[in-house]
Amino acid sequence: AVNTHKVMSMKIFATPEALLDAVGTQLGPTDWLTIRQDRIDQFAAATNDHQWIHVDPEKAAKGPFVACIAHGFLTLSLAKIF
């Protein structure tokens, strides 16, 4: 697969204080990243978290989000690319 995600220049904070000073600063928008069901299913298999809200599209369609949702930790694990 080809990675078409645009890479922005990375902002590096030298100290914790510098990071705190940047609170409220817009670091720049990123492109959307589509998370497909197969990626969610692979994450479920890797973490042994097979809750229906993540892996059962039929049941999830009747749930509060009307579709499967990605695991919170899957979302968090992608933070490094933004």
Side-chain angles (χ1 to χ4, degrees):
V2 176
N3 183 357
T4 60
H5 187 75
K6 293 179 185 174
V7 177
M8 295 178 44
S9 62
M10 184 182 296
K11 174 69 175 165
I12 298 174
F13 298 97
T15 65
E17 292 78 18
L19 178 60
L20 287 172
D21 289 342
V23 169
T25 301
Q26 183 176 10
L27 299 176
T30 62
D31 290 336
W32 285 97
L33 176 65
T34 301
I35 305 298
R36 301 198 192 309
Q37 188 62 47
D38 63 326
R39 190 174 206 167
I40 294 171
D41 293 342
Q42 290 172 356
F43 190 84
T47 59
N48 200 30
D49 181 353
H50 300 279
Q51 291 289 323
W52 64 267
I53 196 72
H54 305 303
V55 299
D56 186 339
E58 278 187 34
K59 188 171 183 178
K62 299 173 188 158
F65 302 105
V66 195
C68 288
I69 59 171
H71 301 75
F73 281 125
L74 170 56
T75 304
L76 182 61
S77 73
L78 298 170
K80 67 181 181 82
I81 64 172
F82 294 104

